Amino acid sequence: MFRLSHYRILWSVVILIVALAWFARISLNLEGVYNTGVAFSIPIPTYLIYILMSGLILWVIYWHLTLPVKTWMTNIGAGLVIGGGLSNLIERILNNGKVWDYFTVLPGGYFNLADVAVISGIIILIYQEVKYERPLR
C-alpha cells in the first residue's frame, strides 16, 4: 500500500544527509585527502565508480519501492544509503572523480560523512531484513 508518510521520511533523510555532508565538506574546513578510489582508497577506474554508485542508488530505490512492509527504520536506512551515495556521486562529478575524505581510523583509512551514512544505512537495512526474516532481493 502506498503511504505518503514513508516517502516523506525517506526523502527527508536523503535531503538531510546530502545537506549535512556538503556542510561538513564546505564549511568545517577539515583536514583530509582527496580520494579517487573507493573505500580505503582502493583504486577503481572513475567510470566504473560512477556506474557502481548509480547502480547502488537505483537498486536501493527499487528495493524500497517493492518492499511489502515499510517501517520507519527501513525508510531511514534507505534514505541514508541513497543520501550518502548521492552526496558522494555529486562530489565526484564536481571534482573530476574525487571526494574529500576528512575522517581517519587507521593510517590510510580515510572516509567522510557520506560514507558513514551509506554504511549506517546498510547496517540498518540488513538488521531490518533479518528482523522480518525477508531475504535481500
Side-chain angles (χ1 to χ4, degrees), residues 17-56:
I17 292 302
V18 170
L20 284 175
W22 278 92
F23 173 79
R25 164 74 171 91
I26 294 169
S27 300
L28 297 182
N29 241 355
L30 299 169
E31 287 186 33
V33 296
Y34 273 111
N35 182 0
T36 57
V38 291
F40 302 105
S41 300
I42 297 170
I44 293 180
T46 303
Y47 74 91
L48 192 54
I49 292 173
Y50 291 147
I51 292 169
L52 292 173
M53 290 178 73
S54 300
L56 173 67

Side-chain angles (χ1 to χ4, degrees), residues 10-133:
L10 172 75
W11 294 110
S12 295
V13 172
V14 169
I15 291 166
L16 178 67
I17 292 302
V18 170
L20 284 175
W22 278 92
F23 173 79
R25 164 74 171 91
I26 294 169
S27 300
L28 297 182
N29 241 355
L30 299 169
E31 287 186 33
V33 296
Y34 273 111
N35 182 0
T36 57
V38 291
F40 302 105
S41 300
I42 297 170
I44 293 180
T46 303
Y47 74 91
L48 192 54
I49 292 173
Y50 291 147
I51 292 169
L52 292 173
M53 290 178 73
S54 300
L56 173 67
I57 293 166
L58 291 173
W59 181 81
V60 172
I61 291 170
Y62 170 78
W63 175 83
H64 189 268
L65 288 172
T66 60
L67 271 180
V69 176
K70 292 179 180 66
T71 65
W72 64 274
M73 287 291 284
T74 56
N75 294 323
I76 290 173
L80 288 169
V81 173
I82 296 165
L86 274 176
S87 179
N88 272 338
L89 186 60
I90 292 166
E91 186 168 355
R92 284 184 187 280
I93 290 168
L94 296 176
N95 290 318
N96 292 329
K98 301 179 283 190
V99 292
W100 185 250
D101 287 344
Y102 40 82
F103 296 130
T104 184
V105 286
L106 300 168
Y110 290 94
F111 57 98
N112 59 33
L113 187 62
D115 299 335
V116 172
V118 170
I119 297 301
S120 301
I122 289 171
I123 290 169
I124 290 170
L125 293 175
I126 290 172
Y127 171 75
Q128 288 294 290
E129 287 294 315
V130 170
K131 180 179 176 183
Y132 289 103
E133 298 178 0

